Amino acid sequence: MRLSKSLIPTLKETPAEAQIVSHRLMLRAGMVRQMASGIYAWLPTGSRVLSKIAQIVREEQDAAGAEEVLMPTIQSADLWRESGRYDAYGKEMLRIVDRHERELLFGPTNEEMITAIMRDSIKSYRELPQIPYHIQWKFRDEVRPRFGVLRGREFLMKDAYSFDVDREGAVKAYKKMMLAYMRTFQRIGITAIPMRADTGQIGGDLSHEFHVLAPTGESGVFYDSAFEAGDAMAATDVEAFYEQMTTIYAATDEKHDVEAWDKIPTERRREGRGIEVGQIFYFGTKYSQTMNFAVAGPDGQRFFPEMGSYGIGVSRLVGAIIEAKHDEAGIIWPDAIAPFKAAILNLRQGDATTDALCEKIYASFGNDVLYDDREERAGAKFAEADLMGHPWQIIIGPRNAANGMAELKRRDTGERFELPVEDALAKVRG
């Protein structure tokens, strides 16, 4: 993508309404624009990050045996009355009446809808287990939307729902999702700590939240540094991995156990703030029973499937990652989800040799680099590249271009390398 022809409206000044780092940087880097309170338009670079996060989430859900579906954003109020949650949910639910006086709502979550779909589709225990999931926009009418995409009203979320014959199968699905989530966060390039949680509006008796560590996190977190040595990508035994994740100490300030904390060696204690980016729940027959979703068992008797639900805040993750990974100059994207692998900085636009080399490099990468081909001073190009957080900067000036060389800058460490062009490109490609 050529920066001179791109919709990336960067800002030099920080907008007054932006209270936290991620909100400021997302606005300044031209990733989003606010369209109403807590509602954002995602511009090209923001959309690319969303898509890359969603793809990693999708791949790990598929690997865990889940199947992708796509449910509508608008739901019938009657479904929520079946579960008993329509009146209980409160003012966060956006209620709608259509021209035929039918009561609808903009879905804040999908337990009722997926249960109704499964009720119409699954008739026998032989068709279980099932784990449908989708990645869809949700709406919750926050009383005070703030902090940009961290507490917006409209948000992109992955939610999955497991249906099993018995509790044993449901807990197995829960453990499988624990591993899938830890693999997802590791692939994205962040540390997320699973912590025992309350179930809230979803219901049930088993839940974990996943917190990304960041100074601006809403919750205080305490954990054993043994988490930092874990490698979810290498885990092959789901049971053993779950046992490891749930026996190492980790708690938010609400559930912090001082006595247990004191037993952890001092050098392994970690304290900080956390931003919740995902939560998993096991809630048994709460929805299958209230919505009369029963299937035939092996003995011919009908029973209610055991259920769980599993959410990841895809759009919330964008803000959380920036909160965790930034410096005074701007965003520091992990490689896996950066909108572009690299930025090509042409330091002498109009110089034939420099232009030719930049065009050659640009053509070799295709759409995965941003080419700053503007007639702009070098300092401005460096500043905007740092602001946008590209993992690599490929810097081409007349002297290096004449010698077939390129200068590389690594965003997260600030390291610089001067290499022959082909070697430089190989280093960027990894």
Side-chain angles (χ1 to χ4, degrees):
M1 188 178 292
R2 295 176 186 273
L3 187 52
S4 64
K5 301 186 184 302
S6 300
L7 180 59
I8 307 178
T10 57
L11 303 172
K12 289 184 172 62
E13 303 298 326
T14 298
E17 72 271 21
Q19 298 176 315
I20 61 171
V21 169
S22 60
H23 195 190
R24 293 197 295 267
L25 291 178
M26 290 180 76
L27 290 171
R28 287 195 56 219
M31 294 177 64
V32 296
R33 285 295 180 265
Q34 182 169 315
M35 308 312 295
S37 178
I39 299 174
Y40 293 86
W42 291 75
L43 303 184
T45 54
S47 181
R48 288 172 73 98
V49 175
L50 275 182
S51 295
K52 289 188 176 185
I53 293 174
Q55 185 58 29
I56 292 173
V57 169
R58 180 177 286 113
E59 289 170 6
E60 291 304 326
Q61 291 294 289
D62 292 346
E67 290 185 287
E68 187 169 10
V69 300
L70 185 59
M71 290 177 272
T73 57
I74 303 300
Q75 304 185 28
S76 167
D78 291 340
L79 283 177
W80 285 66
R81 288 195 176 100
E82 284 188 52
S83 72
R85 286 207 298 172
Y86 185 69
D87 294 320
Y89 206 87
K91 291 186 177 181
E92 283 190 354
M93 180 186 289
L94 181 62
R95 292 164 167 83
I96 307 164
V97 178
D98 71 10
R99 66 174 68 192
H100 301 291
E101 300 300 314
R102 289 179 293 228
E103 292 179 282
L104 305 167
L105 58 101
F106 194 130
T109 184
N110 280 74
E111 282 79 13
E112 284 81 1
M113 182 171 283
I114 195 63
T115 301
I117 291 169
M118 299 298 280
R119 181 178 62 192
D120 293 341
S121 307
I122 303 297
K123 305 302 179 184
S124 167
Y125 76 97
R126 292 187 178 90
E127 299 169 83
L128 299 176
Q130 297 274 352
I131 310 179
Y133 78 94
H134 75 162
I135 299 173
Q136 177 62 291
W137 290 96
K138 304 277 194 293
F139 190 93
R140 293 177 190 164
D141 200 2
E142 292 274 357
V143 64
R144 287 189 303 275
R146 54 188 177 145
F147 302 152
V149 300
L150 286 182
R151 186 169 283 185
R153 294 194 293 165
E154 186 182 52
F155 53 95
L156 187 62
M157 184 174 177
K158 186 285 301 181
D159 41 320
Y161 303 89
S162 61
F163 297 83
D164 283 272
V165 170
D166 52 25
R167 179 185 173 92
E168 182 182 358
V171 172
K172 182 178 179 181
Y174 185 94
K175 294 175 179 178
K176 189 188 298 183
M177 279 293 163
M178 171 77 80
L179 175 56
Y181 273 42
M182 295 303 288
R183 286 173 57 94
T184 297
F185 298 130
Q186 187 171 328
R187 284 186 60 191
I188 286 171
I190 55 174
T191 299
I193 309 296
M195 302 190 179
R196 197 67 178 258
D198 292 324
T199 56
Q201 289 278 6
I202 302 296
D205 61 1
L206 177 59
S207 180
H208 283 84
E209 295 173 344
F210 297 81
H211 285 260
V212 171
L213 304 176
T216 52
E218 295 176 294
S219 302
V221 296
F222 303 81
Y223 71 97
D224 186 329
S225 65
F227 272 114
E228 297 168 356
D231 184 359
M233 301 306 296
T236 56
D237 185 326
V238 174
E239 291 286 339
F241 182 80
Y242 181 81
E243 182 73 13
Q244 179 188 15
M245 289 297 100
T246 53
T247 53
I248 301 173
Y249 186 85
T252 61
D253 44 13
E254 294 177 346
K255 293 185 173 294
H256 185 44
D257 182 338
V258 176
E259 186 176 340
W261 182 244
D262 288 343
K263 294 178 182 177
I264 299 170
T266 304
E267 67 274 11
R268 287 188 2 220
R269 296 180 199 167
R270 301 287 186 271
E271 298 182 37
R273 308 294 297 176
I275 299 172
E276 183 196 334
V277 293
Q279 190 166 5
I280 58 178
F281 304 84
Y282 160 67
F283 43 70
T285 61
K286 173 182 170 65
Y287 296 94
S288 57
Q289 190 164 2
T290 57
M291 296 183 68
N292 196 30
F293 167 36
V295 301
D299 58 0
Q301 297 296 311
R302 296 178 68 76
F303 68 93
F304 299 112
E306 301 272 334
M307 292 176 57
S309 70
Y310 316 90
I312 289 179
V314 176
S315 54
R316 185 177 173 85
L317 261 168
V318 179
I321 291 164
I322 294 171
E323 291 293 329
K325 294 181 177 292
H326 68 272
D327 60 17
E328 291 183 358
I331 301 166
I332 303 174
W333 287 118
D335 291 70
I337 61 162
F340 300 98
K341 184 183 291 288
I344 303 168
L345 307 186
N346 185 333
L347 301 189
R348 186 69 60 83
Q349 193 71 33
D351 176 81
T353 305
T354 306
D355 289 353
L357 182 53
C358 287
E359 290 289 347
K360 180 181 178 181
I361 294 170
Y362 179 56
S364 74
F365 275 101
N367 198 38
D368 206 23
V369 296
L370 182 66
Y371 176 21
D372 191 343
D373 59 342
R374 300 171 301 163
E375 292 186 4
E376 183 64 84
R377 59 187 178 83
K381 294 189 176 189
F382 290 137
E384 289 207 354
D386 282 346
L387 171 63
M388 287 188 270
H390 313 293
W392 291 97
Q393 295 171 24
I394 305 171
I395 303 162
I396 305 295
R399 180 181 62 82
N400 272 346
N403 296 320
M405 303 289 285
E407 183 180 356
L408 295 183
K409 177 185 172 183
R410 179 67 181 171
R411 178 68 179 91
D412 58 354
T413 64
E415 290 178 284
R416 290 177 179 265
F417 311 87
E418 194 167 295
L419 299 166
V421 169
E422 292 306 317
D423 293 344
L425 300 191
K427 194 172 187 67
V428 171
R429 291 191 176 100

